[in-house]
Amino acid sequence: MPKIVDHNKRKIQIAEATWNVIIKEGIEQATVRNIAQASGLSVGAIRYYFASQSELLAFSMDLVSERVLERIKIRKHIKEVNPLDVVTEGIYEVLPIDEDRKIEMEVWLAFSAKVLVDTALRERSNAVYQDMHQGLKKAIYMLQSSNLTKDDIDIELEANRLHALVDGMATHHLLNPEYFTRQQMMDTLNYHLQSLCK
Amino acid sequence: MPKIVDHNKRKIQIAEATWNVIIKEGIEQATVRNIAQASGLSVGAIRYYFASQSELLAFSMDLVSERVLERIKIRKHIKEVNPLDVVTEGIYEVLPIDEDRKIEMEVWLAFSAKVLVDTALRERSNAVYQDMHQGLKKAIYMLQSSNLTKDDIDIELEANRLHALVDGMATHHLLNPEYFTRQQMMDTLNYHLQSLCK
């Protein structure tokens, strides 16, 4: 079905242009007109693929989480010997440790602020929150069932804590890269994971 | 100097109207025209107090951190017996545990996303980052010098960790209050602080 493939490809092209507008000019500039210009398509073409600006933004937001999940899936095929390494490397996938991940996080941060006033985006943001939460809970469970963790850890509270830590560090590194460097972000994550272990 | 007092009072009134617009309609709607309408002042009056929209936004952003610092200063006069209680209560001041704090955090989140594309705001955001970081480092130091903490804690990494945890939890509670409740936020903070202690 080449037509469907092309259709989806075009939507992704538009979503990526949306990311570019958001990163360079801010989410308030992510209008259909500006996105058309950034993507090299006409306003009409964009309206053909997305009935509304809200739909376009929602698709662009979903694309961030899809990309992250894709990378985590790819990682599953790589067999690390040490469960702690598996968990650490998995969490690196959701931290802004390189340019691609930085772009995704910047777009995500812009969307997060918009979620407060856009109920359509809120539902998607909640779904991503829950997916991420489950993923991190599984990661802690993996450490526990490998008999690596301290005896008294509480899986639910540890998942809350790790989730907040990861998102907080990502935001701090994006907004204050000179004060909270990439290296500090990675050291802090390692320090945290070590603190759960015996 | 009654004139200066009134001048500042009026600026605060305008900044609070800006917060209202941001919370209800999003930061992209925080135009001078909309802020004028929300504050009951004319566009001309607003331009009299703020030369540019950027200056107005910067003042409104500063007001968030000022309010938080004010509350923390007030708390210093209350003598708690237990240093762990002092630290816990101090951190509650920067978490969205009630309506006032929620509003401040929502405004802060909106500004954070804007910082990425507004260099004037970035400088202020960096200053607040450093203030908060120093404050949290002092809090951990207070626990350590009261001989409450485990022997092997690293103050710098603990400050990074607590800072990211606090901002991450605040964002999660704002965006997903049904999944990450106020009680979970407080329990997670207590769990974290307990984990640093002997």
Side-chain angles (χ1 to χ4, degrees), chain B residues 114-176:
Chain B
K114 209 169 167 63
V115 161
L116 292 168
V117 289
D118 186 327
T119 43
L121 291 179
R122 182 177 280 262
E123 215 172 276
R124 284 179 153 85
S125 153
N126 284 346
V128 172
Y129 174 86
Q130 285 177 288
D131 280 354
M132 177 78 113
H133 201 81
Q134 286 307 318
L136 292 172
K137 204 159 137 181
K138 266 188 209 159
I140 293 162
Y141 184 71
M142 190 201 272
L143 297 179
Q144 194 185 42
S145 54
S146 308
N147 201 26
L148 288 171
T149 53
K150 287 174 181 157
D151 295 334
D152 59 347
I153 69 162
D154 178 312
I155 296 253
E156 197 53 61
L157 288 169
E158 289 295 352
N160 290 343
R161 182 158 76 137
L162 182 56
H163 194 178
L165 179 71
V166 165
D167 281 354
M169 288 200 304
T171 312
H172 287 171
H173 179 57
L174 278 185
L175 298 178
N176 314 275

Side-chain angles (χ1 to χ4, degrees), chain A residues 36-142:
Chain A
Q37 201 166 30
S39 64
L41 296 169
S42 68
V43 169
I46 294 197
R47 292 213 189 280
Y48 170 78
Y49 290 102
F50 297 101
S52 67
Q53 194 217 16
S54 183
E55 205 181 280
L56 165 52
L57 288 180
F59 184 87
S60 306
M61 189 176 185
D62 286 348
L63 190 61
V64 180
S65 47
E66 263 170 42
R67 287 273 165 91
V68 173
L69 289 175
E70 239 168 59
R71 280 206 307 273
I72 295 180
K73 265 186 211 147
I74 292 168
R75 288 212 59 82
K76 279 193 183 156
H77 299 289
I78 307 165
K79 293 266 170 259
E80 257 111 347
V81 185
N82 183 344
L84 185 57
D85 290 345
V86 178
V87 168
T88 308
E89 298 283 326
I91 294 172
Y92 284 164
E93 294 295 341
V94 293
L95 288 173
I97 57 167
D98 61 23
E99 275 314 307
D100 278 355
R101 288 164 183 77
K102 257 189 192 172
I103 289 170
E104 289 169 1
M105 274 303 305
E106 285 195 21
V107 174
W108 192 256
L109 183 60
F111 276 123
S112 292
K114 210 169 165 63
V115 161
L116 293 169
V117 289
D118 186 326
T119 44
L121 291 179
R122 182 176 279 264
E123 216 173 274
R124 283 178 153 87
S125 152
N126 283 346
V128 172
Y129 174 86
Q130 285 177 288
D131 279 356
M132 177 77 114
H133 201 82
Q134 286 307 316
L136 293 172
K137 203 159 139 181
K138 268 187 208 159
I140 293 162
Y141 184 71
M142 191 201 270

Side-chain angles (χ1 to χ4, degrees), chain A residues 23 28 114 117 122 126 129-130 154 158 160-161 163-164 167-168 172 175-176 179-180 188 191-192 195, chain B residues 23 28 114 117 126 129-130 154 158 160-161 163-164 167-168 172 175-176 179-180 188 191-192 195:
Chain A
I23 290 162
E28 68 273 19
K114 210 169 165 63
V117 289
R122 182 176 279 264
N126 283 346
Y129 174 86
Q130 285 177 288
D154 178 312
E158 289 294 353
N160 290 344
R161 182 158 77 137
H163 194 178
D167 281 354
H172 286 171
L175 297 178
N176 314 276
Y179 304 109
F180 188 59
T188 307
Y191 179 79
H192 178 69
S195 81
Chain B
I23 291 161
E28 68 273 19
K114 209 169 167 63
V117 289
N126 284 346
Y129 174 86
Q130 285 177 288
D154 178 312
E158 289 295 352
N160 290 343
R161 182 158 76 137
H163 194 178
D167 281 354
H172 287 171
L175 298 178
N176 314 275
Y179 303 110
F180 189 58
T188 305
Y191 179 80
H192 178 70
S195 81

Side-chain angles (χ1 to χ4, degrees), chain B residues 12 57 64 82 93 112 126 129 179 181:
Chain B
I12 289 172
L57 288 180
V64 180
N82 183 345
E93 293 296 342
S112 293
N126 284 346
Y129 174 86
Y179 303 110
T181 62

Side-chain angles (χ1 to χ4, degrees), chain B residues 15-31:
Chain B
E16 285 176 339
T18 308
W19 291 10
N20 276 328
V21 173
I22 290 173
I23 291 161
K24 287 190 192 132
E25 302 171 56
I27 199 162
E28 68 273 19
Q29 294 300 323
T31 59

